[in-house]
Amino acid sequence: MTTIEAIVPDVAERAIAIRRDIHRFPELGFEEERTAGIVECELDALGIEHRRVAKTGVVGIVRGALPGKVAGLRADMDALPLDERSGESFSSEVAGKMHACGHDAHTAMLLGAARVLQADRANLHGTTVLLFQPAEEGPGGALPMIEAGAMDDPRIDAVAMLHVDVRLATGEIGFDAGAVNAAADEFHVTIEGRGGHGASPHTAVDAIPAAAAVVLALQNIAARETDPLATIVVTIGTIEGGYRNNIIADRVRMTGTFRTQDATIRAGLEARARRIVENVAAAYGTTGTLEVFYGYPAVVNDAALARSFRAFLAAETSLRVSTPAPTMGAEDFAYFAERAPGLLIRHGIRSDAKGSVHPGHSPLFRLDEDALAYGIATLVAFARGVGAGRVAGGHAAP
Ligand SMILES: [Zn+2]
Ligand SMILES: [Zn+2]
């Protein structure tokens, strides 16, 4: 097997050029026509077969000459709706759109890995499926890709993704077993009372104090009702109601987010929140209603996959591997990882010297491009390790 580091410097430069091109023309979810076109062009140039799925998604397949398992590598391609203020020379040329989450680099690194794997096909065990995914930032492109058969033809045995992470220095990657981020579910609360004159509360039913009590009582879920060692966040993000200082509000509307890592806690959350909203509202003589809109589940890294990949990296590469703390962010890679053993790998990009210090989703976000070579090496290692059967998950794909 050719050593991973020996090949990657040749392709890092090309990946950086592609990343800058994508960065200048960011596209939002399911609008990634130009980006998907770049991916298809590059795959054509490399002689890699590919097909379109889920409108702007692209699935490429690298077939190794040697028998083996099937690895999936996923990169998201979409940008965010904000104006770039990073000061980079290749900043976004599209008003109101920016690659502030690093998905441009994810796409470019997967193309880099494809180049390495395809060039060394004669020595590659198994098959690598390249999953270029639209709309991670919403409404979600992973499920539509899966429903279009992206994981079935050929059937993926283990799947991985990289996400740039400013907490980790360039040259470092990190992953751990278990839940590494959170499920993100949105909820809406409405409190209905009866309006009236601010000087005569006894003639009305005031929705404001009822709403205030509901806000406080909802925190009881995290404080008193769930295991203190489990991770849960209940945030009310908006609250609106009332007309002016001397009118009693007849209605208050609130929106918020639930973040959970444990699937059982998540499953019980709606009933707990509804009990509190309805009964606290009733105690104040008002009516409370709750609506929950379910988002992405938590990403759960397969323990055996994490362990075997760590051992493979130590044996075959000089990559620095850490175990960063989980976050409460969300990521629709979770759907891939529900269907095959999966690994979300955090990819260090921090460089104080290059100003790569701002978190994702900031208009100031910058990315140390020296990190791309390490990301490509990581993806190539995963594909080779899975293909050769040396990196494997603990449960068989369903
Ligand atoms: Zn993001
Ligand atoms: Zn992202």
Side-chain angles (χ1 to χ4, degrees):
M1 184 183 285
T2 324
T3 62
I4 285 153
E5 274 91 345
I7 302 173
V8 166
D10 300 337
V11 293
E13 211 166 307
R14 170 95 188 131
I16 289 169
I18 291 172
R19 182 252 161 170
R20 291 186 176 196
D21 185 11
I22 295 173
H23 191 88
R24 284 167 59 213
F25 301 99
E27 297 171 300
L28 302 181
F30 291 122
E31 295 172 0
E32 305 93 334
E33 289 294 346
R34 184 180 183 276
T35 309
I38 290 172
V39 167
E40 288 167 331
C41 238
E42 189 72 0
L43 295 179
D44 280 339
L46 295 171
I48 296 174
E49 63 183 87
H50 57 83
R51 63 183 194 266
R52 274 280 181 124
V53 294
K55 192 164 181 244
T56 45
V58 181
V59 176
I61 297 175
V62 178
R63 296 186 192 276
L66 307 172
K69 299 280 191 182
V70 180
L73 298 174
R74 180 276 214 164
D76 40 15
M77 302 188 289
D78 57 321
L80 285 160
L82 74 160
D83 283 315
E84 178 158 6
R85 291 195 287 118
S86 72
E88 295 279 26
S89 60
F90 50 87
S91 284
S92 170
E93 295 180 23
V94 186
K97 295 179 191 174
M98 175 188 177
H99 269 290
C101 203
H103 299 185
D104 50 348
H106 300 166
T107 303
M109 287 188 290
L110 185 50
L111 286 171
R115 179 175 288 266
V116 174
L117 293 166
Q118 178 76 353
D120 194 37
R121 213 165 59 246
N123 298 308
L124 181 67
H125 282 273
T127 303
T128 304
V129 180
L130 314 164
L131 303 158
F132 294 92
Q133 186 207 299
E136 192 284 323
E137 303 284 1
L143 262 189
M145 280 189 87
I146 292 165
E147 282 160 6
M151 294 187 81
D152 303 326
D153 183 20
R155 187 61 172 261
I156 291 174
D157 293 303
V159 62
M161 63 159 281
L162 290 181
H163 204 298
V164 297
D165 193 324
V166 82
R167 296 177 301 165
L168 275 55
T170 293
E172 183 181 353
I173 61 161
F175 53 87
D176 207 350
V180 294
N181 69 0
D185 301 312
E186 180 177 340
F187 64 92
H188 295 183
V189 172
T190 305
I191 309 293
E192 306 251 21
R194 199 172 65 246
H197 197 293
S200 308
H202 57 296
T203 64
V205 179
D206 193 347
I208 299 265
V214 166
V215 170
L216 296 179
L218 281 173
Q219 293 306 323
N220 220 45
I221 298 173
R224 303 281 83 186
E225 296 195 16
T226 47
D227 185 336
L229 296 178
T231 310
I232 172 166
V233 176
V234 179
T235 292
I236 302 277
T238 70
I239 175 163
E240 57 161 343
Y243 307 96
R244 51 178 256 180
N245 71 86
N246 63 352
I247 298 174
I248 287 173
D250 58 351
R251 175 182 298 185
V252 175
R253 287 198 184 91
M254 301 181 276
T255 66
T257 184
F258 295 129
R259 301 286 166 125
T260 51
Q261 291 191 321
D262 182 279
T264 311
I265 290 179
R266 183 190 191 205
L269 208 48
E270 179 168 353
R272 289 181 194 279
R274 175 162 292 114
R275 189 194 76 238
I276 289 169
V277 167
E278 289 179 357
N279 290 300
V280 171
Y284 281 73
T286 60
T287 306
T289 52
L290 172 79
E291 269 184 297
V292 179
F293 305 90
Y294 286 94
Y296 304 157
V299 174
V300 181
N301 278 352
D302 184 273
L305 190 63
R307 197 167 48 242
S308 55
F309 188 44
R310 195 175 287 272
F312 185 81
L313 288 173
E316 299 291 334
T317 78
S318 55
L319 285 165
R320 214 145 37 88
V321 187
S322 64
T323 46
T327 70
M328 295 306 277
E331 166 57 76
D332 74 347
F333 175 74
Y335 294 114
F336 291 110
E338 281 181 345
R339 284 157 179 85
L343 206 54
L344 182 159
I345 303 165
R346 303 192 190 274
H347 171 225
I349 55 162
R350 187 176 189 92
S351 163
D352 293 316
K354 291 178 183 150
S356 181
V357 295
H358 302 284
H361 293 213
S362 162
L364 303 175
F365 179 78
R366 271 177 177 241
L367 193 154
D368 176 11
E369 292 175 326
D370 287 348
L372 266 61
Y374 299 96
I376 294 167
T378 305
L379 294 170
V380 168
F382 186 85
R384 287 182 175 164
V386 170
R390 291 172 58 189
V391 176
H395 65 275

